[in-house]
Every structure is written in structure tokens, then in C-alpha cells.
């Protein structure tokens, strides 16, 4: 099994007949999926998603892949293939198109409609190429011959893509599962997978998200009884939270609400936008007069009302989180039932738990996957992955989409079907994999860090910024104001210590006066009079003292004023 190594260097030049694969996101994390394929001096991008921030990344809106690997070659990009319409696969597209607006965006009908709506907010009109399962195009995208296959996922219109080049064929599953009874009757094209296997798949990129889960993923249809029971038993309003793109789940909720004589309102901009798109294109079948505006729903009897909103992952600004913290116009109360109809993205457990506790505190009954069968995954479990390996019989396998443990579990599954260990490539973000003469190997590494989007700034926030923000929130801030005699370099007055968010007793900072005096004396002896340098020395010395005195690491902000 090929492993990435920390000492990997920049890769060598790609052989003329080789195919290079570089994941800039999605390997070692759930989200931010983006893979770059290079052949014949041209580049093809598959997916361009975002990662949502965790608690230790305060103030960050989303996290993008690092485009620096392709920035100097942006003119060589022949297209962006989007496998489906979830944010972790399309959310980064607006930022990539800022680099070059006319890169063709290649996707199925619903996926294209969702990204076009999103791009309107960024004032970008993309060049779009609509494709569907069964389509094959060998001439539009430089040296890449693309064929698309239907895959089943938790959003309609998911596609796998077969990429044929002179170096061999790659089959990329995108996110997929093998539900035999999907709500839209569109099953994963295993016959197509088998046909490609007969032709010869040189590299198989497979979704690893559920590789640790044994057996087969439950069918969406099996959720119907649990959702039905929620509506049957709810004495007042039913408030459903879901991903804003989970059309299948929302279809089930609409059908059940209709059967129980309830009206429905969508809450939240992304939910209203996406469901409008899905309904307009016929992916969401809405019974007549079922959906009403929120202000109209609020005037109806509580037992006739259903709300569908976002926020099932505990996102601070999403509707459900704001309801839990009493920061939303919808007031959750006694007798309301909250149905959290989605899985837990790893890392969000604490945030979700806080939301559940908050809603319960206001008297609501919260139904979630921990206490009822109200969600199934959109990803293939171990049994399905093994099934695919046996059908496709690939020459090389590269697990994608998942944390490292998921990638490793997927790699082990491929080996268990008889694939030689050296034919399984276990890569991470930025690791360069070259397919040359039928063998896939790790050949180097490129930069693939986190790019933070903070309000209007992209890339301005660094790890150091986040550390400061965490310190501000957890350890407090101490401002040291030192007025220095310009002639002697000594204190003209005793220093002031202005403290915020840092618990201390009166006089606790008296010993720090000596620390400041010593620091200034040392600076004077060394001939340092520049205020900026003095401030850096002061910050370091006072921080060291505070660490010893309080066992805390407050943010030290020194201000030196010449008298």
C-alpha cells in the first residue's frame, strides 16, 4: 500500500504519457472535495467544494481548497465536473471562477441549476455544459474523454465520471450508495460499472465516507414509518431540519405532512432557494396548495403547521440553532416536535448536542437519529464498496472522500477483494499520484492548506489569526501601556495593565512592573529604541511572566508611547 510521507518533495515533471491526480481537498476530511487531473498539459477539475468550520475556527464562514497549485495554469483548465449538488462539492466553485470566469462547468440538470443560483449571489454567469447519465464526450475537453453514469446519493442527479486518457481510464464514483429502492427509482448504474470494468479501469477513486460501516446502507424507503410516526404523534407544530439540498428527505416530509392535513413553510434563504429550484425542475413533487408563506402559516392552528429549515449540524447562524438560542422569530415551545433528519458530520457532535439541549429546554420534543430511525446515510457501506471492487476489478484503487481512518478502511476493503497492496494508493490532500504504464504511485506533494473565507475576505485569515481569536475567547487580553522617556529609555510613569476576559485579583499585575522595567533596560543596553521592536520584546516578556504567574496565555497587546 502506498502511503504518503511527511518528507515528500515537489513532484518531478509528469512523463508525456502519464496522468497526474492531485486531491486539493476531501482526503483526510469530510468536505472540501476537489481533485485535479492532468494529462497532455491540460487540467480537469472534478468537484470544488467547501468545508464548514468547527468550534476552534471562530469567525470563519467556510474553508476552501488551496488553488495555488493550479493558479499559474488556470488557462489550462478545460472544465470543472460537478458530481452532485451538495455544498461540499460545489461550494468552492464561485471562488474558483473568480480566478477565471469562463471555465466550463459540467454537471447534471439539478446540480447546474443549484450552482447557477448560487453564482447569481456572486454576480457570475458561468459557461455551463449540461450532461446526464449515459452521455459521453470525447472532443470538448481537450485530452479528456468523459463518460457519465448514474449514481444514487442523498440528492437527485448524482453522477460518477469515467475519464479516459492516453494513460488509461479513471472511474470516479463521486458520493454514492447502492439503494435498491431509491425514492426517485434512479439506481446506481452497476451494469455501467461492470462494462467499464470489462474495458479496463486503471484507477478507481471510491467514496470512503462509510467504509467503516459493515453491510449495506439502509434504503431511504425504510424511513417512512418513523417519519409517519412523528407526524401522527405530534400535538403541535412539526419543525424539520435538514440539509438545504436533501430533496429526497424533504419529499418524504412533504408527502407525510400532506397526508396529515398540514401546511408547510420553508424557512431560511438556502432552503427556500434550493427547494424552489428543485420544484421548478420537477425533482420535488409538491401537492397543490401545500406550501404557504411563513407569515400565513403562523396564523394557522399549531397542529396544522410544518416548518422545514436548515441547521441540523448546529451551525451558529442556521435557523434551528437560532431557535434554540431564542434568537429567531420562530419561538419553539411546549408541545412542538423537532425532527432532525440528517446525519452528523464528524466534528459537529458538540454543536448538535447543544442545539438539542437548547430546544428541549424550551419544551420541544426532539427526534433525531440517536432515538429514532429518521435518517439513512447517502454513502456506500463496506458491503457495497466490496461489491463494486468485485464488479469493476480495477488495476489500482485510490480511496477518496473521508477522514484518514475512512480512507484506510476503504483501502483495506480493496485489498480484501484480492487487489495487491502496492496497487492501493493511500493519499492525503496535496499528495501527487501519477498513473504511468498502468501503475499508480505517489511521486510528491504540493501545497494544499486551508483557505479561510471570513465575510468578504478570502485567505486573509491565517492559523495565527485563529489562534489569536481562540485566545481572545478562552484566555483573555492584557494591554500593556508603557510611556517611555525618549532620552533614557526608562519608564516615565508606571505602566498600566488593561485587562479583559482575564480573572485576576487586585495587585496581581504589580510584579509585572519589574518585568517591564527589566525589558526596557535590556533594550536600552542593546541600543533598541524602535517602538515596534520594543513592543515585540515587551509582549514576549510579559507573556512569559503571565504564563508562569497564572498558568494562562492571555493575548498581550503592548503599546509603547515616547514621552
Amino acid at each position: 500500500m502506498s502511503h504518503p510521507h511527511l518528507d515528500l518533495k515537489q513532484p518531478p515533471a509528469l512523463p508525456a504519457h502519464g496522468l497526474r491526480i492531485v486531491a486539493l481537498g476531501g482526503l483526510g476530511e469530510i468536505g472540501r472535495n476537489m481533485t485535479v487531473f492532468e494529462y497532455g498539459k491540460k487540467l480537469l477539475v472534478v468537484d470544488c467544494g467547501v468545508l464548514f468550520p468547527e468550534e476552534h475556527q471562530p469567525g470563519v464562514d467556510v474553508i476552501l481548497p488551496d488553488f495555488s497549485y493550479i493558479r499559474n495554469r488556470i488557462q489550462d483548465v478545460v472544465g470543472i465536473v460537478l458530481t452532485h449538488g451538495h455544498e461540499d462539492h460545489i461550494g468552492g466553485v464561485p471562488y474558483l471562477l473568480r480566478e477565471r470566469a469562463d471555465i466550463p462547468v459540467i454537471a447534471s440538470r439539478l446540480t447546474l441549476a443549484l450552482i447557477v443560483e448560487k453564482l447569481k449571489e456572486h454576480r457570475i454567469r458561468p459557461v455551463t455544459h449540461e450532461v446526464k447519465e449515459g452521455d459521453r464526450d470525447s472532443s470538448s475537453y481537450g485530452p479528456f474523454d468523459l463518460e457519465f453514469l448514474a449514481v444514487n446519493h442523498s440528492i437527485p442527479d448524482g453522477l460518477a465520471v469515467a475519464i479516459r486518457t492516453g494513460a488509461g481510464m479513471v472511474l470516479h464514483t463521486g458520493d454514492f450508495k447502492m439503494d435498491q429502492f431509491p425514492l426517485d427509482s434512479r439506481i446506481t448504474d452497476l451494469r455501467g460499472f461492470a462494462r467499464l470494468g470489462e474495458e479496463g479501469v486503471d484507477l478507481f477513486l471510491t467514496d470512503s465516507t462509510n467504509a467503516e460501516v459493515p453491510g449495506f446502507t439502509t434504503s431511504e424507503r425504510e424511513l417512512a414509518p418513523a417519519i409517519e410516526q412523528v407526524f401522527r404523534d405530534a400535538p403541535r407544530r412539526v419543525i424539520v431540519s435538514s440539509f438545504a439540498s436533501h430533496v429526497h428527505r424533504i419529499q418524504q416530509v412533504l408527502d407525510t405532512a400532506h397526508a396529515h392535513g398540514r401546511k408547510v413553510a420553508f424557512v431560511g434563504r438556502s432552503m427556500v432557494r434550493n427547494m424552489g429550484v428543485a420544484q421548478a425542475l420537477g425533482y420535488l413533487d409538491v401537492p397543490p396548495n401545500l406550501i404557504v408563506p411563513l407569515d400565513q402559516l403562523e396564523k394557522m392552528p399549531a397542529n396544522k403547521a410544518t416548518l422545514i429549515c436548515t441547521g441540523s449540524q448546529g451551525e451558529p447562524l442556521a435557523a434551528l440553532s437560532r431557535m434554540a438560542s431564542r434568537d429567531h422569530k420562530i419561538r419553539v415551545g411546549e408541545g412542538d416536535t423537532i425532527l432532525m433528519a440528517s446525519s452528523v458530520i464528524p466534528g459537529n457532535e458538540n454543536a448538535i448536542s447543544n442545539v438539542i439541549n437548547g430546544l428541549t429546554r424550551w419544551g420541544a420534543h426532539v427526534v433525531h437519529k440517536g432515538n429514532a430511525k429518521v435518517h439513512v446515510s447517502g454513502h456506500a457501506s463496506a458491503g457495497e464498496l466490496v461489491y463494486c471492487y468485485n464488479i469493476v476489478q480495477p488495476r489500482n484503487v485510490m480511496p477518496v472522500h473521508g477522514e484518514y481512518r475512512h480512507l484506510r478502511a476503504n483501502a483495506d476493503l480493496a485489498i480484501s477483494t484480492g487487489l495487491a497492496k502496492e496497487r492501493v494508493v493511500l493519499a492525503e490532500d496535496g499528495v501527487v499520484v501519477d498513473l504511468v504504464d498502468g501503475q499508480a504511485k505517489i511521486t510528491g506533494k504540493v501545497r494544499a492548506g486551508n483557505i479561510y473565507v471570513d465575510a468578504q475576505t478570502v485567505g486573509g485569515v491565517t492559523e495565527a489569526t485563529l489562534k489569536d481569536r481562540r485566545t481572545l475567547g478562552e484566555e483573555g487580553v492584557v494591554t500593556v501601556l508603557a510611556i517611555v522617556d525618549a532620552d533614557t529609555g526608562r519608564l516615565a510613569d508606571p505602566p498600566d495593565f488593561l485587562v479583559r476576559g482575564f480573572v485576576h485579583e487586585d495587585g496581581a499585575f504589580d510584579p509585572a512592573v519589574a518585568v517591564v522595567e527589566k525589558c526596557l533596560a535590556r533594550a536600552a543596553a542593546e541600543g533598541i529604541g524602535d517602538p515596534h521592536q520594543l513592543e515585540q520584546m515587551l509582549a514576549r516578556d510579559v507573556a512569559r511572566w503571565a504564563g508562569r504567574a497564572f498558568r494562562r496565555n492571555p493575548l498581550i497587546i503592548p503599546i509603547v508611547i515616547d514621552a
Side-chain angles (χ1 to χ4, degrees), residues 387-438:
Y387 202 94
C388 286
Y389 290 135
N390 285 333
I391 286 175
V392 175
Q393 295 186 355
R395 296 192 178 99
N396 302 272
V397 165
M398 179 175 161
V400 294
H401 304 173
E403 296 177 354
Y404 198 83
R405 62 195 176 100
H406 305 129
L407 302 176
R408 180 62 192 257
N410 198 355
D412 290 341
L413 292 175
I415 292 165
S416 73
T417 66
L419 202 64
K421 279 188 179 180
E422 60 271 17
R423 293 280 179 169
V424 180
V425 180
L426 205 51
E428 291 181 273
D429 291 348
V431 169
V432 177
V433 177
D434 287 348
L435 178 67
V436 180
D437 298 328

Side-chain angles (χ1 to χ4, degrees), residues 24-34 48-57 59-67 86-93 95 313 315 345-348 401-403 429 448-454 463 466:
L24 296 178
L27 271 61
E29 61 202 356
I30 305 282
R32 211 168 61 121
N33 299 289
M34 179 177 179
C48 185
V50 293
L51 185 66
F52 291 102
E54 296 182 27
E55 290 169 333
H56 63 274
Q57 294 159 326
V60 173
D61 298 325
V62 292
I63 304 166
L64 298 174
D66 187 340
F67 301 144
H86 280 151
E87 283 295 302
D88 60 335
H89 291 256
I90 70 170
V93 172
Y95 302 94
Q313 297 300 310
E315 309 94 316
I345 294 175
N348 290 0
H401 304 173
E403 296 177 354
D429 291 348
N450 288 343
I451 302 297
Y452 299 107
V453 178
D454 181 347
E463 295 295 343
L466 293 179

